[in-house]
């Protein structure tokens, strides 16, 4: 399992898509630093930068890039066959891939969000954003890893989830908020460090329980889907 995780991490950072992980976090910190340097009150830029960019864009997009990259490319180019021939249970392969995806996403998203929270004038807010983003990283990664096994275009499917389900419907259809990982992240951060910047619309219990459900069902779904792949690379 550790070997699969090492190979996955090496492959992920050896591809061009790894370069896609840097611009958004840098932009997030840069905007917050500029606002801080110009003495703009966090009440004026906090929601747009921290929530609108950090939690709604940076976290899910980074998770999408990483989550679909740890296995999706291997399915597309057929190298998944080499993994399936290894004497490893399918669940170990998925858990190794998932661990890499969730860990990388958590670091890439949590660090800039923590810095942004500190720049907003509160170390407690920074910690809250970091903790919430780690939870979100694990939930998003499970979902996007599953997408990479269910679709030939997992990035497109993931973007539909982020932009349409969480972004569009989430703002107009209240019921969708209970099935939106982004809302769980906002709620967890808001409960840790209550702030006018963060406006949670669901309960903490719902956020925690539903995050766990996304993690468990996404991972189990990915294991089940991978188990349907034969050594020939076809599905049964």
């Amino acid at each position: 399992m550790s070997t699969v995780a090492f190979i996955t991490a090496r492959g992920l950072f050896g591809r061009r898509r790894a370069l896609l992980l840097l611009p958004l976090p840098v932009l997030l910190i840069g905007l917050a630093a500029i606002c801080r340097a110009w003495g703009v009150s966090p009440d004026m830029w906090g929601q747009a930068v921290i929530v609108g960019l950090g939690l709604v864009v940076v976290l899910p997009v980074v998770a999408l890039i990483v989550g679909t990259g740890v296995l999706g490319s291997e399915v597309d180019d057929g190298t998944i066959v080499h993994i399936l021939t290894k004497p490893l249970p399918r669940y170990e392969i998925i858990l190794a891939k998932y661990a890499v995806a969730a860990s990388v996403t958590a670091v890439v998203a949590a660090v800039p969000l923590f810095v942004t929270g500190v720049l907003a004038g509160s170390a407690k807010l920074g910690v809250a954003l970091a903790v919430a983003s780690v939870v979100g990283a694990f939930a998003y990664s499970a979902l996007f890893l599953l997408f990479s096994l269910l679709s030939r275009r997992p990035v497109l499917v993931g973007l539909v989830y982020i932009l349409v389900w969480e972004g569009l419907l989430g703002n107009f259809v209240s019921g969708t908020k209970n099935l939106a990982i982004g809302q769980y992240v906002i709620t967890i951060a808001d409960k840790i460090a209550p702030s006018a910047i963060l406006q949670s619309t669901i309960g903490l219990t719902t956020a925690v329980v539903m995050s766990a459900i996304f993690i468990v069902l996404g991972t189990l779904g990915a294991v089940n889907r991978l188990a349907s792949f034969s050594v020939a690379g076809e599905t049964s």
Side-chain angles (χ1 to χ4, degrees):
M1 181 173 172
S2 60
T3 302
V4 175
F6 173 76
I7 294 174
T8 299
R10 185 179 63 182
L12 179 65
F13 289 106
R15 296 177 185 141
R16 291 181 180 178
R17 80 167 53 202
L19 298 176
L20 299 176
L21 301 178
L22 298 178
L24 285 176
V26 171
L27 175 62
L28 176 65
I29 295 176
L31 289 176
I34 291 173
C35 293
R36 176 69 179 268
W38 281 86
V40 182
S41 171
D43 293 334
M44 298 181 64
W45 60 266
Q47 189 167 19
V49 175
I50 294 176
V51 178
L53 178 59
L55 299 181
V56 175
V57 177
V58 175
L59 174 58
V61 170
V62 168
L64 178 61
I65 294 171
V66 178
T68 57
V70 293
L71 191 56
S73 60
E74 294 168 347
V75 175
D76 290 338
D77 61 23
T79 56
I80 185 68
V81 176
H82 300 293
I83 298 177
L84 298 180
T85 57
K86 302 296 182 182
L88 289 173
R90 302 297 166 87
Y91 75 88
E92 288 192 8
I93 296 174
I94 290 297
L95 289 180
K97 299 283 187 179
Y98 173 62
V100 171
S103 299
V104 171
T105 300
V107 172
V108 174
V111 172
L113 280 167
F114 170 76
V115 173
T116 303
V118 173
L119 289 173
S122 172
K124 183 178 181 180
L125 177 60
V127 171
L129 292 171
V131 171
S133 64
V134 168
V135 175
F138 276 81
Y140 276 123
S141 295
L143 181 64
F144 296 146
L145 179 60
L146 176 59
F147 285 171
S148 71
L149 290 169
L150 292 177
S151 172
R152 291 272 183 187
R153 293 178 173 81
V155 174
L156 177 60
V157 177
L159 286 174
V160 170
Y161 173 80
I162 295 170
L163 298 176
V164 178
W165 183 264
E166 291 198 347
L168 182 61
L169 296 180
N171 290 326
F172 297 101
V173 183
S174 60
T176 61
K177 294 181 179 180
N178 291 323
L179 294 173
I181 297 173
Q183 291 297 323
Y184 311 154
V185 174
I186 293 173
T187 296
I188 293 172
D190 187 34
K191 299 305 179 182
I192 296 176
S195 170
I197 295 174
L198 304 169
Q199 298 179 357
S200 58
T201 57
I202 60 177
L204 178 61
T205 300
T206 300
V208 172
V209 171
M210 289 304 298
S211 294
I213 290 176
F214 265 91
I215 292 171
V216 173
L217 293 185
T219 306
L220 290 178
V223 171
N224 183 67
R225 178 60 177 168
L226 186 62
S228 70
F229 280 72
S230 69
V231 175
E234 301 173 347
T235 57
S236 57

